[in-house]
Amino acid sequence: MRFELFPEYFPDLLAGIPMMLQLAGLSLLLGFFLAVLLAVLRTSGIRPLEWFVRGYVYVFRGTPLLVQIFLIYYGTGQFDLIKQSFLWPVLREAYWCAIIAMTLNTGAYTSEIIRGGIESVPWGQVEAAKACGMNAWLRFRRVVFPQAIRQALPGYGNEIILMIKATSLASTITLLEVTGIARKIISQTYAPLELFIMAGAIYLTIVFTVTRIVDWIENRLSPELAGRRHVDDAEKDLASVH
């Protein structure tokens, strides 16, 4: 183990964090809005739209994200129609190809998480909202969506973590985030163990921070669950004493 490499190259790896956070943050933001739209279409009761969403989700959940990135980055350039269109200035950039692929991917996964949250809302509450004269949009905004988000948050927290780790795949199309910088330095130093340990430590720290934030938001949205967990922990501690 070449410990002298840690202080020398760790700051270089830290320089890749802004790119990693940009990729994850923008993809999650765009993917969330896409997922809400897909979840609404999936639960709309309109068969053609439901089957379209089913097919979309099946394709993007059934194929690796790395393949999706390659298809968008390398595949779109094979068509002259795309190269001559207004889309080419975006699709020729590795950054935007990674954003598009990650957005489409997380949109598929998140739509299923939100759909599960929507379907967990008691039907009686929806009927009560109808009886109060709320239209479909008002029912969704005031009754269904807030409860669906609370139910979906634990699963969505896992999706956030997966997308943060998935940013490492962007290094395969020349983007220099944390993993990309590590691979570049490894080609110069021939020290993969040390560099990947440093990169892994950075990912662990960011993921730990994200999990704490998600837990805090979950406790804020569902304080009764947080109180129940504290009671359960206290009962376990008391049982262990006895």
Side-chain angles (χ1 to χ4, degrees):
M1 182 74 71
R2 297 160 61 184
F3 292 102
E4 68 276 6
L5 297 178
F6 285 80
E8 182 176 357
Y9 290 110
F10 192 70
D12 294 332
L13 295 182
L14 292 178
I17 292 179
M19 174 63 74
M20 178 180 65
L21 295 180
Q22 284 181 40
L23 291 170
L26 190 54
S27 300
L28 287 167
L29 178 63
L30 297 175
F32 180 81
F33 288 108
L34 175 62
V36 172
L37 175 61
L38 293 173
V40 171
L41 295 179
R42 178 71 183 276
T43 57
S44 64
I46 304 173
R47 284 302 178 88
L49 294 179
E50 288 185 8
W51 282 107
F52 169 77
V53 176
R54 284 174 181 266
Y56 173 89
V57 171
Y58 178 78
V59 169
F60 280 93
R61 291 178 67 188
T63 55
L65 176 56
L66 182 60
V67 173
Q68 296 163 18
I69 292 174
F70 284 166
L71 285 175
I72 293 174
Y73 182 63
Y74 296 111
T76 54
Q78 305 298 314
F79 300 96
D80 291 334
L81 182 62
I82 295 178
K83 294 176 71 173
Q84 296 171 3
S85 70
F86 68 95
L87 296 174
W88 185 238
V90 174
L91 293 175
R92 70 184 179 186
E93 298 292 337
Y95 177 83
W96 290 111
C97 287
I99 291 291
I100 292 170
M102 293 173 64
T103 296
L104 295 175
N105 184 274
T106 189
Y109 281 94
T110 306
S111 69
E112 290 296 285
I113 296 172
I114 295 176
R115 180 181 66 86
I118 290 174
E119 293 180 347
S120 70
V121 177
W123 184 249
Q125 296 188 22
V126 179
E127 290 295 317
K130 287 182 181 179
C132 292
M134 294 185 183
N135 58 33
W137 165 245
L138 198 58
R139 289 197 304 271
F140 181 78
R141 184 167 62 88
R142 291 188 175 181
V143 179
V144 177
F145 189 67
Q147 296 186 70
I149 287 299
R150 285 198 293 269
Q151 295 293 329
L153 187 59
Y156 187 59
N158 291 332
E159 178 62 17
I160 293 174
I161 293 171
L162 290 174
M163 291 309 296
I164 290 174
K165 294 187 291 186
T167 58
S168 61
L169 298 177
S171 64
T172 60
I173 55 172
T174 72
L175 290 180
L176 293 179
E177 42 70 66
V178 174
T179 304
I181 294 175
R183 293 174 62 181
K184 181 180 178 181
I185 297 175
I186 288 170
S187 67
Q188 301 168 354
T189 61
Y190 301 101
L193 179 61
E194 293 83 351
L195 269 300
F196 282 136
I197 286 176
M198 287 186 274
I202 292 173
Y203 283 105
L204 279 173
T205 302
I206 293 175
V207 166
F208 176 80
T209 303
V210 169
T211 56
R212 296 302 94 194
I213 293 173
V214 171
D215 287 344
W216 179 82
I217 295 174
E218 187 178 355
N219 291 336
R220 293 282 294 180
L221 293 178
S222 303
E224 71 281 358
L225 297 180
R228 189 181 306 165
R229 283 196 293 267
H230 290 314
V231 171
D232 292 341
D233 291 341
E235 291 177 349
K236 290 178 182 179
D237 293 340
L238 185 60
S240 64
V241 170
H242 291 294

